[in-house]
Amino acid sequence: LLQSAAQDTQFQAMVVGTAGVAGNNFLQITNGTTTVVPGYWIGGSLSVYTAGTVAIGDEYTITDIKGTLTTGGALTVFLDRPLRYAVTTAATVVMQRHIHSGVIQMPASTPTGIASGIAIFAIPASTSTVPVYGFVQTRGLASCLSDGSTFAVGSAVGTPSGTAGCVTVYAAATTKQAIGVALESAASTHAIAVNLTGF
């Protein structure tokens, strides 16, 4: 079981460096204190977070970024469609990576992102110079390793409760996410058939 890249709070209230003009397909943002690599946000989203515009909650898909990717750098963020409204420098925005960009194994207990799918096979770790790719299944029948729980046919399946990368019987809780339904009965350490529905 994989999760999206760990959340970085530096990107959750980013400053608008230069006012955005309605109709432009880009917005100028000031980077936080984290240096990022090229392509970091492509396919992700930009949404208006706080006041300074009438467009609070507006969301756009990020198609490209130019500028300085280091701490405090000026970023020109290109969007999939024109800005509907002017965005003043009093506004802040949230920039999120695509949920399948930079995925990691789901932690054993407290997630640092959201569940994003099942790895069809092991995906090697990336490096700063060599990107890696893999297949991530998000729907349909998948084989998932169970985590210390006994499953019955029809059990709701959720994120781990003790072993990283595993699934467990889902129970509503603040740190758990339902991802599918068990198609067979099984106990811990078994790979069970799951109909994935929750990504």
Side-chain angles (χ1 to χ4, degrees):
L1 178 64
L2 302 174
Q3 71 153 47
S4 59
Q7 289 292 302
D8 188 332
T9 57
Q10 295 299 317
F11 307 135
Q12 293 180 2
M14 299 178 80
V15 174
V16 175
T18 302
V21 177
N24 282 355
N25 71 332
F26 65 88
L27 192 59
Q28 293 181 322
I29 306 298
T30 302
N31 194 13
T33 60
T34 302
T35 297
V36 296
V37 297
Y40 186 85
W41 284 293
I42 292 175
S45 71
L46 178 144
S47 56
V48 179
Y49 182 60
T50 60
T53 174
V54 296
I56 291 175
D58 260 18
E59 186 276 336
Y60 302 88
T61 298
I62 298 168
T63 60
D64 199 5
I65 294 190
K66 303 294 184 188
T68 306
L69 301 177
T70 54
T71 299
L75 306 174
T76 300
V77 182
F78 292 93
L79 309 170
D80 64 328
R81 56 195 182 279
L83 292 170
R84 294 195 308 148
Y85 303 101
V87 181
T88 74
T89 55
T92 59
V93 300
V94 174
M95 290 175 62
Q96 293 282 351
R97 294 179 78 176
H98 189 282
I99 66 166
H100 294 115
S101 175
V103 295
I104 61 173
Q105 185 180 62
M106 182 66 112
S109 54
T110 304
T112 56
I114 63 168
S116 60
I118 302 295
I120 302 300
F121 54 81
I123 301 172
S126 63
T127 69
S128 60
T129 57
V130 180
V132 295
Y133 302 91
F135 292 99
V136 179
Q137 184 175 350
T138 60
R139 289 285 188 272
L141 181 62
S143 181
C144 305
L145 186 62
S146 64
D147 171 17
S149 299
T150 300
F151 287 80
V153 174
S155 295
V157 176
T159 51
S161 62
T163 305
C166 289
V167 297
T168 192
V169 174
Y170 172 74
T174 57
T175 60
K176 300 299 176 195
Q177 180 181 339
I179 64 166
V181 179
L183 294 173
E184 64 180 276
S185 300
S188 63
T189 73
H190 291 68
I192 66 166
V194 176
N195 183 32
L196 301 176
T197 59
F199 301 102

